[in-house]
């Protein structure tokens, strides 16, 4: 099993400012490489103060200048809010500047507040995404492309410069039918149960392998994004569970919630899920429990865990946790394989 550190990039305190926010992101990426993580995951969101990286490709280019090995995973770029004729060129440029280390994760978007204000209602994002993905793949793989569709109509054109290296493509999807369909087509898949139960996670994993079974020659991989924080006492666990619960009070507001945002700051709302229920679902636990639970993930067939460990704690606590996870837990998972 491999590990990617997710660069959550929250500005829960707006007085922090963008300069300091992105300094912490780059610092985490550099530390991830030093700790032996395989990659870093770069989110994309706009107009709100969580997961706030408006340009993940730009961030990938910044990080590659400060690292030597770590993979840069966009997690994810939202296709419906972009013009693929512009985006395809940006992807080619980023791949060239990232020395072939870029993995392009794409999806339809998740926050209705965000997509609606960028003129794509959340209920229309899948339709936009499906066509945009076809257009993007055509532009990246064919020298000259024309298109007549619902959202794109253009005469023949060529994206310049042309890609020189393969650009690995990963789809970010959560619903089991969509996961199965993506896996059957040979795409790498990123999924997450967010704060839901282990049963939801298992249904997502099962869908991936049902899809991949339809394409025996496929070598696509399954990436699981999951809340993970290694603690060393029950008192620390309680503090981190409460911190994570406060974060999800903001996240739930824009993910399927009413989208109440005050001048860019998401208003925390009461949650139906208790802090302890959340703590049972995500992995905020001590060393042996962490090893056991991640080992089960590996046995299910999860190839890579995108570790989400920033819930609003200070930067040093994040860096310390990353170091501890890399020395106390990750070595036990490196050779763990799926049970056949």
């Amino acid at each position: 099993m491999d590990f990617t550190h997710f660069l959550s990039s929250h500005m829960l305190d707006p007085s922090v400012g963008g300069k300091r926010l992105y300094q912490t992101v780059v610092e985490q990426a550099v530390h991830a490489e030093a700790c032996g993580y395989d990659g870093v995951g770069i989110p994309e969101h706009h107009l709100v103060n969580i997961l706030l990286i408006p340009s993940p490709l730009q961030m990938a280019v910044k990080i590659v200048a400060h690292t030597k090995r770590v993979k840069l995973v966009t997690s994810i770029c939202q296709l419906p809010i972009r013009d693929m004729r512009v985006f395809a060129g940006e992807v080619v440029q980023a791949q060239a500047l990232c020395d072939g280390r870029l993995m392009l994760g794409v999806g339809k978007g998740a926050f209705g507040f965000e997509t609606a204000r960028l003129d794509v209602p959340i209920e229309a994002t899948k339709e936009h995404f499906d066509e945009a993905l076809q257009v993007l793949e055509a532009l990246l793989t064919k020298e000259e492309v024309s298109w007549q569709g619902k959202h794109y109509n253009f005469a023949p054109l060529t994206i310049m410069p042309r890609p020189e290296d393969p650009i690995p493509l990963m789809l970010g999807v959560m619903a089991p039918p969509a996961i199965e369909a993506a896996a059957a087509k040979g795409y790498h898949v990123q999924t997450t149960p967010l704060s839901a139960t282990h049963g939801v996670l298992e249904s997502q994993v099962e869908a991936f392998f049902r899809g991949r079974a339809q394409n025996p020659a496929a070598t696509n991989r399954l990436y699981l994004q999951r809340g993970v924080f290694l603690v060393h006492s029950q008192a620390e666990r309680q503090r981190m569970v409460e911190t994570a619960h406060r974060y999800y009070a903001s996240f739930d507001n824009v993910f399927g919630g009413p989208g109440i945002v005050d001048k860019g700051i998401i208003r925390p709302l009461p949650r139906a899920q208790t802090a302890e229920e959340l703590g049972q679902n995500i992995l905020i636990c001590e060393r042996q429990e962490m090893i056991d639970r991640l080992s089960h993930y590996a046995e299910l067939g999860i190839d890579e865990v995108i570790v989400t460990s920033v819930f609003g704690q200070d930067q040093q606590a994040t860096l310390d946790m990353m170091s501890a996870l890399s020395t106390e837990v990750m070595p036990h998972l490196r050779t763990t394989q799926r049970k056949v």
Side-chain angles (χ1 to χ4, degrees), residues 2-126:
D2 296 331
F3 292 87
T4 285
H5 173 71
F6 190 60
L7 299 167
S8 295
S9 187
H10 306 320
M11 190 187 285
L12 303 182
D13 176 2
S15 69
V16 168
K19 291 181 181 179
R20 179 57 189 150
L21 176 69
Y22 296 127
Q23 286 171 359
T24 65
V25 169
V26 174
E27 186 178 10
Q28 287 177 30
V30 171
H31 193 61
E33 177 165 276
C35 289
Y37 285 77
D38 300 278
V40 292
I42 308 172
E44 178 198 347
H45 283 289
H46 307 262
L47 314 176
V48 293
N49 63 317
I50 65 172
L51 302 166
L52 181 55
I53 296 181
S55 178
L57 294 179
Q58 187 180 65
M59 180 59 74
V61 171
K62 173 68 173 178
I63 291 169
V64 83
H66 293 270
T67 57
K68 298 182 182 301
R69 171 195 56 81
V70 74
K71 177 175 58 184
L72 295 310
V73 183
T74 61
S75 181
I76 51 83
C77 290
Q78 301 181 48
L79 299 192
I81 63 174
R82 289 186 164 84
D83 187 315
M84 292 302 100
R85 291 163 291 187
V86 175
F87 185 59
E90 293 174 340
V91 169
V92 174
Q93 175 180 300
Q95 176 71 334
L97 294 174
C98 288
D99 302 326
R101 286 195 265 154
L102 179 69
M103 170 172 275
L104 184 65
V106 298
K108 67 182 185 64
F111 295 172
F113 171 87
E114 174 183 33
T115 63
R117 280 154 182 79
L118 297 171
D119 301 323
V120 186
I122 193 70
E123 59 271 15
T125 54
K126 185 180 186 305

Side-chain angles (χ1 to χ4, degrees), residues 21-282:
L21 176 69
Y22 296 127
Q23 286 171 359
T24 65
V25 169
V26 174
E27 186 178 10
Q28 287 177 30
V30 171
H31 193 61
E33 177 165 276
C35 289
Y37 285 77
D38 300 278
V40 292
I42 308 172
E44 178 198 347
H45 283 289
H46 307 262
L47 314 176
V48 293
N49 63 317
I50 65 172
L51 302 166
L52 181 55
I53 296 181
S55 178
L57 294 179
Q58 187 180 65
M59 180 59 74
V61 171
K62 173 68 173 178
I63 291 169
V64 83
H66 293 270
T67 57
K68 298 182 182 301
R69 171 195 56 81
V70 74
K71 177 175 58 184
L72 295 310
V73 183
T74 61
S75 181
I76 51 83
C77 290
Q78 301 181 48
L79 299 192
I81 63 174
R82 289 186 164 84
D83 187 315
M84 292 302 100
R85 291 163 291 187
V86 175
F87 185 59
E90 293 174 340
V91 169
V92 174
Q93 175 180 300
Q95 176 71 334
L97 294 174
C98 288
D99 302 326
R101 286 195 265 154
L102 179 69
M103 170 172 275
L104 184 65
V106 298
K108 67 182 185 64
F111 295 172
F113 171 87
E114 174 183 33
T115 63
R117 280 154 182 79
L118 297 171
D119 301 323
V120 186
I122 193 70
E123 59 271 15
T125 54
K126 185 180 186 305
E127 175 189 283
H128 279 257
F129 171 77
D130 289 343
E131 184 175 351
L133 178 61
Q134 293 177 51
V135 173
L136 177 63
E137 290 191 283
L139 293 170
L140 292 176
T141 58
K142 299 177 182 178
E143 186 173 8
E144 189 169 70
V145 178
S146 61
W147 202 269
Q148 292 78 45
K150 182 173 181 179
H151 303 289
Y152 287 89
N153 286 278
F154 54 85
L157 56 82
T158 299
I159 294 301
M160 293 293 289
R162 302 301 301 152
E164 296 179 61
D165 301 308
I167 301 173
L169 192 61
M170 175 176 68
L171 302 194
V173 284
M174 290 178 61
I179 294 170
E180 182 174 344
K185 293 176 182 176
Y187 291 113
H188 300 299
V189 170
Q190 176 190 320
T191 195
T192 177
L194 294 174
S195 61
T197 65
H198 185 71
V200 172
L201 182 156
E202 289 183 322
S203 70
Q204 293 170 322
V205 174
E206 290 165 1
F208 175 82
F209 284 104
R210 283 197 306 270
R212 202 169 77 170
Q214 299 170 39
N215 188 356
T219 57
N220 43 333
R221 287 164 56 90
L222 177 60
Y223 293 71
L224 176 80
Q225 186 180 17
R226 195 57 156 157
V228 174
F229 199 97
L230 178 66
V231 298
H232 295 91
S233 69
Q234 284 302 301
E236 185 185 6
R237 177 187 180 276
Q238 186 62 34
R239 288 195 304 272
M240 284 309 307
V241 166
E242 291 171 357
T243 300
H245 195 258
R246 286 193 296 272
Y247 162 72
Y248 274 104
S250 293
F251 182 89
D252 290 353
N253 180 345
V254 286
F255 183 80
I260 303 171
V261 179
D262 305 310
K263 297 180 180 179
I265 308 302
I266 302 169
R267 188 182 303 176
L269 298 179
R271 306 190 71 231
Q273 184 185 52
T274 68
E276 188 53 38
E277 288 169 341
L278 171 66
Q280 292 299 321
N281 292 345
I282 62 177

